[in-house]
Amino acid sequence: MKLILLGPPGAGKGTQAEALAKRRSLVQLSTGDMLRAAVKAGTEIGRKAEAVMKSGGLVSDDIVIGIIAERIEQPDCAHGFILDGFPRTLAQAAALDKLLTSKGTGLDIVIELKVDDGALLSRIENRARETLAAGGTVRADDNAEALKTRLWAYYRETAPLIGYYFAKGKLRTIDGMAAIQDVARQIDTLIGELESA
Ligand code: AMP
């Protein structure tokens, strides 16, 4: 099973991807997590990405496509993976198609988590509060200013992917405003339908 979770920042992609990966023994591929790890490790990619990530902008297509191309070659991805935060541009989506086609495979489904835009800021603020309460470190881009830039990047660069995958017959949309468990159930229902088709 190869699937994408699509949605704006704060839609719950990471939470759902992590839980789904456990339920289905799939690998969660979050370019955001990979880039944050690169920043922390001080690699060349991390140095290139750090400032743009902090501002809420998008890291260059070349960098993220390179990261994903390398990662999906790893043996643990053979069984399937969940892409969370990738692709974010049409160029990334086209590169992903090309990569998968060259491996004789393709995407099974793209699940869009639809959320009320007005709820996103409070979701991000909650996430920051919960992380602090748990003794963690708040993401450098979990603040109102960077969120504005992240949302802008989403609507300008990523939202066109909804049409792209709809046209390919891969898109399914679910209510991302529901409780975490309900969203998980909606995802399981879609995957179940796919498997029994
Ligand atoms: P995320 O954890 O998915 O919210 O990603 C955090 C940040 O990492 C984003 O705001 C971007 O700066 C960068 N990033 C993650 N994935 C991508 C991607 N596919 N394309 C470009 N930038 C990305």
mmCIF file of all heavy atoms in Angstrom, residues 13 23-24 26 37 40 118 128 139 146 182-183 194 196:
data_model
loop_
_atom_site.group_PDB
_atom_site.id
_atom_site.type_symbol
_atom_site.label_atom_id
_atom_site.label_comp_id
_atom_site.label_asym_id
_atom_site.label_seq_id
_atom_site.Cartn_x
_atom_site.Cartn_y
_atom_site.Cartn_z
ATOM 1 N N LYS A 13 -2.009 15.367 9.602
ATOM 2 C CA LYS A 13 -1.356 14.369 8.748
ATOM 3 C C LYS A 13 -0.354 13.528 9.533
ATOM 4 O O LYS A 13 -0.339 12.315 9.418
ATOM 5 C CB LYS A 13 -0.602 15.037 7.590
ATOM 6 C CG LYS A 13 -1.431 15.860 6.653
ATOM 7 C CD LYS A 13 -0.589 16.386 5.491
ATOM 8 C CE LYS A 13 0.523 17.317 5.889
ATOM 9 N NZ LYS A 13 0.099 18.622 6.403
ATOM 10 N N ARG A 23 -0.727 0.654 12.687
ATOM 11 C CA ARG A 23 -1.829 -0.296 12.458
ATOM 12 C C ARG A 23 -1.548 -1.220 11.281
ATOM 13 O O ARG A 23 -1.957 -2.372 11.282
ATOM 14 C CB ARG A 23 -3.140 0.466 12.148
ATOM 15 C CG ARG A 23 -3.713 1.259 13.285
ATOM 16 C CD ARG A 23 -5.204 1.541 13.091
ATOM 17 N NE ARG A 23 -5.555 2.368 11.957
ATOM 18 C CZ ARG A 23 -5.418 3.694 11.893
ATOM 19 N NH1 ARG A 23 -4.887 4.343 12.908
ATOM 20 N NH2 ARG A 23 -5.800 4.355 10.822
ATOM 21 N N ARG A 24 -0.893 -0.713 10.273
ATOM 22 C CA ARG A 24 -0.736 -1.446 9.010
ATOM 23 C C ARG A 24 0.685 -1.913 8.747
ATOM 24 O O ARG A 24 0.973 -2.385 7.633
ATOM 25 C CB ARG A 24 -1.152 -0.538 7.852
ATOM 26 C CG ARG A 24 -2.608 -0.176 7.872
ATOM 27 C CD ARG A 24 -3.332 -1.039 6.893
ATOM 28 N NE ARG A 24 -4.752 -1.000 7.100
ATOM 29 C CZ ARG A 24 -5.611 -1.699 6.395
ATOM 30 N NH1 ARG A 24 -5.182 -2.498 5.428
ATOM 31 N NH2 ARG A 24 -6.887 -1.645 6.638
ATOM 32 N N LEU A 26 3.221 -0.115 8.044
ATOM 33 C CA LEU A 26 3.740 0.624 6.898
ATOM 34 C C LEU A 26 4.800 1.589 7.420
ATOM 35 O O LEU A 26 4.859 1.874 8.615
ATOM 36 C CB LEU A 26 2.622 1.423 6.227
ATOM 37 C CG LEU A 26 1.488 0.621 5.592
ATOM 38 C CD1 LEU A 26 0.322 1.543 5.226
ATOM 39 C CD2 LEU A 26 1.985 -0.122 4.363
ATOM 40 N N ALA A 37 15.482 16.390 11.191
ATOM 41 C CA ALA A 37 16.611 15.552 11.631
ATOM 42 C C ALA A 37 17.901 16.039 10.976
ATOM 43 O O ALA A 37 18.961 16.071 11.617
ATOM 44 C CB ALA A 37 16.339 14.089 11.276
ATOM 45 N N LYS A 40 19.042 19.174 12.734
ATOM 46 C CA LYS A 40 19.602 18.831 14.045
ATOM 47 C C LYS A 40 21.007 18.242 13.907
ATOM 48 O O LYS A 40 21.906 18.538 14.690
ATOM 49 C CB LYS A 40 18.672 17.824 14.728
ATOM 50 C CG LYS A 40 18.772 17.843 16.223
ATOM 51 C CD LYS A 40 17.608 17.125 16.858
ATOM 52 C CE LYS A 40 17.906 16.856 18.317
ATOM 53 N NZ LYS A 40 17.028 15.829 18.855
ATOM 54 N N GLY A 118 -10.085 28.197 9.561
ATOM 55 C CA GLY A 118 -10.088 29.006 10.783
ATOM 56 C C GLY A 118 -9.592 28.227 11.993
ATOM 57 O O GLY A 118 -9.142 28.817 12.982
ATOM 58 N N ALA A 128 1.668 23.427 20.115
ATOM 59 C CA ALA A 128 2.815 24.043 20.789
ATOM 60 C C ALA A 128 2.654 23.935 22.309
ATOM 61 O O ALA A 128 3.593 23.574 23.022
ATOM 62 C CB ALA A 128 2.941 25.502 20.356
ATOM 63 N N ARG A 139 8.338 23.304 17.791
ATOM 64 C CA ARG A 139 8.922 23.487 16.466
ATOM 65 C C ARG A 139 9.139 24.967 16.179
ATOM 66 O O ARG A 139 8.310 25.805 16.514
ATOM 67 C CB ARG A 139 7.974 22.906 15.406
ATOM 68 C CG ARG A 139 8.052 21.410 15.299
ATOM 69 C CD ARG A 139 6.992 20.861 14.385
ATOM 70 N NE ARG A 139 6.873 21.561 13.119
ATOM 71 C CZ ARG A 139 6.192 21.081 12.078
ATOM 72 N NH1 ARG A 139 5.591 19.907 12.178
ATOM 73 N NH2 ARG A 139 6.109 21.759 10.969
ATOM 74 N N ALA A 146 4.998 32.166 11.145
ATOM 75 C CA ALA A 146 5.415 31.107 10.217
ATOM 76 C C ALA A 146 4.198 30.351 9.694
ATOM 77 O O ALA A 146 4.186 29.907 8.546
ATOM 78 C CB ALA A 146 6.386 30.154 10.904
ATOM 79 N N ASP A 182 -11.995 9.107 14.961
ATOM 80 C CA ASP A 182 -12.943 9.081 13.840
ATOM 81 C C ASP A 182 -12.228 9.267 12.503
ATOM 82 O O ASP A 182 -12.580 8.635 11.507
ATOM 83 C CB ASP A 182 -14.004 10.183 13.992
ATOM 84 C CG ASP A 182 -14.930 9.885 15.156
ATOM 85 O OD1 ASP A 182 -15.034 8.699 15.527
ATOM 86 O OD2 ASP A 182 -15.530 10.835 15.696
ATOM 87 N N VAL A 183 -11.243 10.149 12.503
ATOM 88 C CA VAL A 183 -10.475 10.343 11.263
ATOM 89 C C VAL A 183 -9.767 9.030 10.919
ATOM 90 O O VAL A 183 -9.775 8.583 9.767
ATOM 91 C CB VAL A 183 -9.452 11.505 11.408
ATOM 92 C CG1 VAL A 183 -8.609 11.647 10.156
ATOM 93 C CG2 VAL A 183 -10.182 12.816 11.703
ATOM 94 N N LEU A 194 -10.603 -0.105 -0.744
ATOM 95 C CA LEU A 194 -9.601 -0.290 -1.794
ATOM 96 C C LEU A 194 -9.163 -1.754 -1.861
ATOM 97 O O LEU A 194 -9.004 -2.336 -2.936
ATOM 98 C CB LEU A 194 -8.411 0.603 -1.428
ATOM 99 C CG LEU A 194 -7.497 1.102 -2.517
ATOM 100 C CD1 LEU A 194 -8.273 2.035 -3.426
ATOM 101 C CD2 LEU A 194 -6.335 1.861 -1.892
ATOM 102 N N SER A 196 -10.796 -4.364 -0.889
ATOM 103 C CA SER A 196 -11.824 -5.339 -1.284
ATOM 104 C C SER A 196 -12.311 -5.098 -2.706
ATOM 105 O O SER A 196 -13.174 -5.818 -3.207
ATOM 106 C CB SER A 196 -12.993 -5.292 -0.296
ATOM 107 O OG SER A 196 -13.559 -4.011 -0.298
#
